[in-house]
Structures are given as structure tokens and as C-alpha cells.
Amino acid sequence: MVIPVKDENPTTKVPWVTLLLIAANLVVFVFLQRPYDRGLSEANFSFEFAAIPCEIVSGRPLTTEEVDQTLYESQSEACQSSSAGGRDDARFPGKNVYLAVISSMFLHGSWLHIGGNMLFLWVFGNNIEDGLGPAAYLVFYLLSGLAAAAAHVAVQPDSTVPVVGASGAVAGVMGAYLVLFPNVPIRTLFLVLLREVPAKWLLGFWFVSQFFVNPAEGVAWVAHVGGFAFGALVALVLRDRLRPERERAATP
């Protein structure tokens, strides 16, 4: 287990957007998803509000048959033809399948899921917000999540399994951090030992490890890769502008 705890990278401003994103994710998880109420109601919540590749590709909500096949028959690709179904036989006819891509970024599958995402967001997000500014950082965060979702849909267009989690957006933040602050020491927990590791090694290890995720674990690893690549690309384009003043001053 490798867990980043803190980076040695001071900021110049309070990271209000990062704090608000963390708060929003926690509020949605605790008061709307209600993790203490496991069961069919939780599954239905995900189908109603989370992004689903089949819905995005077909432009319509899943039918009751597609949802039931996914839930009760473990068919992860129960997607029918794009012309099949409609609002009349949809399980959730009022669902906006495109806005669900945004709402998915604020949904999580467990306490461990949200805890890990919010920890990574706090450790790496405050410096990216410091460089971009609050408004641009929020746009960047959401676009990273959209890029992550696009990567996942491209690989699994027929999937009828809801995609939940801020992981893709957070991965974008991590990709940008790798480009902008590769040598910053990250205080990292290895099992029970704390060690300082350069960001490039920690984040590089995380990125490579995504390609070895067991598909049976249900982790949308392609979304992680897509979000990370998007964040790294944006940072490469804007690197000179986003580098801290102290580093620019030190450059001959």
C-alpha cells in the first residue's frame, strides 16, 4: 500500500476550490448516496444519476430490461441497439444522460473510494489551483473528468455499468502535478513506514500500475489513464505560465 500524505510544496493562497470540491463530494456521498443504506436503493441511485457508456453512446436512458439484466444477471454489456427503447420504457425516463457525466464525478462506491480520491485531491490539487487560479482550476478539473469519461466510453461503449468516482478528474490533477513539480518530495506511507519520494516516482508508479489493474475489480482504469494524460498535456502546454515564480526566477 502506497499512500501520499503530504507534499513539501507551499502554496501562496488558500485552495478554496479544492476544499469546496472535497466538501461537495463528502456531502453527496453521506447525505445523498447514504452509504449506511446499502442495497437496491443504492444501486438504483447509481443508475439514475451516474454516467453509463451505453446511455452516452445511444443518447437515451437505459430501459428497465437493460437495468435488470445488469443488476440481476451480471451482464455488464446489456446495451441494446441505439434505436431500441425510449423514454416510455426507460427505468429513469427523466435522466439527462450527458449531465450524468458531471454528476458521476461526485459519486463514490465506498468510504475507501472517496477517502482515497479526496486525499489525492488535497495533496496534489492545492498547488495546481494555486497556479491556475480558482476559476480556471475548476474548469480544468471538470474537463479532466470529461476526458476520463470519454476514454472509458471509447473502450467500453456497450457497458451498462454505472461509472462513479472523482478518480478521472483527480488523475488529471495528478498528471499536471507530475509535469509541473516532478522533483517535489512527497511524504508517502509505505505500509507502516513514512518516506519522502519525488513526485515523479510516486506518480509515475501510480500511472504505470493502472495498466495492471485486474478487470474483475471493476476499476475504470482507462478513465484514470485518460484523465492523467489530459492533465499532463494541459500542463505541458501551459508549463511556463504555471511554474511557480520562485522556480522561474531560479532559471538562468
Side-chain angles (χ1 to χ4, degrees):
M1 182 181 294
V2 180
I3 303 174
V5 177
K6 184 181 183 300
D7 63 340
E8 303 299 329
N9 198 4
T11 58
T12 61
K13 300 178 288 291
V14 177
W16 290 114
V17 173
T18 298
L19 291 170
L20 288 172
L21 285 170
I22 292 172
N25 277 276
L26 290 171
V27 167
V28 169
F29 184 68
V30 173
F31 296 105
L32 296 181
Q33 286 190 268
R34 307 199 320 175
Y36 44 83
D37 184 22
R38 295 295 186 187
L40 185 59
S41 61
E42 181 197 18
N44 281 325
F45 186 93
S46 294
F47 276 98
E48 184 173 4
F49 294 104
I52 300 173
C54 174
E55 293 184 332
I56 296 170
V57 172
S58 64
R60 59 169 178 83
L62 293 185
T63 65
T64 296
E65 180 182 2
E66 289 169 327
V67 173
D68 288 345
Q69 287 178 342
T70 305
L71 272 176
Y72 304 117
E73 300 177 23
S74 300
Q75 295 187 28
S76 61
E77 295 187 345
C79 190
Q80 300 171 5
S81 65
S82 59
S83 59
R87 297 285 172 176
D88 292 338
D89 58 352
R91 173 65 64 88
F92 301 104
K95 179 178 181 179
N96 186 311
V97 300
Y98 302 114
L99 287 179
V101 178
I102 300 295
S103 61
S104 275
M105 299 181 203
F106 297 89
L107 307 179
H108 289 84
S110 66
W111 281 107
L112 182 62
H113 190 198
I114 191 172
N117 277 341
M118 295 304 99
L119 175 61
F120 275 70
L121 179 57
W122 173 248
V123 171
F124 300 111
N126 55 356
N127 292 104
I128 306 304
E129 179 179 351
D130 203 41
L132 283 172
Y137 170 70
L138 179 59
V139 172
F140 166 76
Y141 178 88
L142 295 175
L143 288 177
S144 294
L146 292 177
H152 179 70
V153 172
V155 174
Q156 299 187 39
D158 294 325
S159 174
T160 49
V161 177
V163 181
V164 298
S167 305
V170 175
V173 171
M174 294 162 62
Y177 196 101
L178 174 62
V179 171
L180 298 173
F181 309 106
N183 297 312
V184 166
I186 309 294
R187 193 171 303 169
T188 306
L189 181 64
F190 294 88
L191 296 178
V192 294
L193 300 176
L194 276 174
R195 293 288 186 270
E196 287 194 347
V197 181
K200 60 186 176 185
W201 296 117
L202 176 64
L203 295 174
F205 171 79
W206 180 90
F207 181 75
V208 172
S209 71
Q210 301 309 299
F211 293 91
F212 297 92
V213 171
N214 185 348
E217 295 178 1
V219 177
W221 67 271
V222 176
H224 300 173
V225 171
F228 192 96
F230 175 83
L233 180 61
V234 170
L236 281 170
V237 172
L238 302 177
R239 179 165 50 185
D240 289 339
R241 173 188 165 191
L242 297 179
R243 287 171 63 199
E245 290 185 8
R246 62 180 182 275
E247 292 190 8
R248 289 200 297 266
T251 302

